[in-house]
Amino acid sequence: MFDLLDRILAVQPAPPMSTVIATAVIAFVLVAWRRSWRWVRNAITIAHEGGHALVAVLCGRRLEGIRLHSDTSGLTFTRGRDRGPGMVLSLAAGYTAPSLLGAGGAALLATGRLTLLLWLGILLAVLMLVMIRNVYGVLSVLVTGGILFAVSWYADATWQAAFAYTGVWFLVFGGVRPVFEVQSQRRRGRAHWSDPDQLARLTPLSGGVWVTIFLLVGLGAIALTALLFGLIAATRDSSLFT
């Protein structure tokens, strides 16, 4: 057990700037390219629904289950007051969760806790698995958690760094694209029950304002991640010459 804790909490050196840039490019392509986005969007949906679930529980709502669908959509079922701050915060957590998770991951990588980041991802997958209520959702979370475990347990430090940095970039880039997608659906009148439209019915702010808030959170997470990763790589590269 102590050996496992030492392995999880070990501090690993930062990768070079070339790795940081390469992983950012890979993550951006995965999000921007339509064909790859169809396959990897499930990870963003897991983070989205996990955000709803976590904040709902923290706000005192009763979490009844989560469903993930093959079209990459998802639903989180909670019970409690249908109005009030708890409901608002729970709804607002979905579109902001991937971006905030990514920024939090970037902050953790800034301390060199790369393996810890991967194991926290495994823990979140296990906790979410308990609340999944359909077969496709169970398979999606199992595959995600399995990949995280395989990388954290079998990959060397170089591959772990490449995976972790790509994953964090993917979360912050992937947190923005769904915001544009839901706004596109709203313009076509096909998103009456979207998170921003539900929030508009619960608050004085319009759906468009909520979309703007989600977008600002996403862009802020990208900027923060880029700043942290840039400082990490610059510090590492400069230390090579001292």
Side-chain angles (χ1 to χ4, degrees), residues 21-99:
I21 295 174
T23 54
V25 171
I26 292 171
F28 182 81
V29 171
L30 288 173
V31 172
W33 190 28
R34 183 176 299 179
R35 291 186 178 181
S36 59
W37 178 242
R38 289 175 56 190
W39 292 100
V40 300
R41 196 186 193 281
N42 272 324
I44 298 299
T45 302
I46 291 172
H48 180 111
E49 300 304 329
H52 282 314
L54 175 61
V55 174
V57 171
L58 292 177
C59 291
R61 299 182 63 82
R62 180 178 177 182
L63 178 61
E64 296 190 333
I66 300 170
R67 297 178 67 90
L68 304 174
H69 304 135
S70 58
D71 62 355
T72 70
S73 65
L75 289 171
T76 298
F77 301 96
T78 64
R79 178 176 295 180
R81 292 182 58 195
D82 57 1
R83 305 189 70 85
M87 187 64 180
V88 171
L89 291 174
S90 299
L91 283 170
Y95 280 101
T96 56
S99 298

Side-chain angles (χ1 to χ4, degrees), residues 135-219:
V135 174
Y136 182 83
V138 169
L139 291 175
S140 297
V141 176
L142 282 176
V143 169
T144 303
I147 292 172
L148 289 169
F149 176 77
V151 172
S152 66
W153 195 257
Y154 297 107
D156 61 22
T158 300
W159 284 105
Q160 283 189 12
F163 182 86
Y165 276 74
T166 301
V168 167
W169 280 120
F170 171 74
L171 283 172
V172 294
F173 289 146
V176 171
R177 178 161 180 171
V179 178
F180 287 104
E181 291 176 343
V182 73
Q183 180 59 19
S184 176
Q185 293 173 353
R186 294 182 69 251
R187 283 199 300 267
R188 296 196 298 267
R190 296 170 53 189
H192 297 296
W193 290 100
S194 68
D195 292 353
D197 285 282
Q198 291 187 69
L199 286 164
R201 290 190 284 270
L202 294 173
T203 68
L205 304 179
S206 67
V209 171
W210 280 108
V211 170
T212 302
I213 292 172
F214 297 155
L215 181 59
L216 291 175
V217 171
L219 295 177

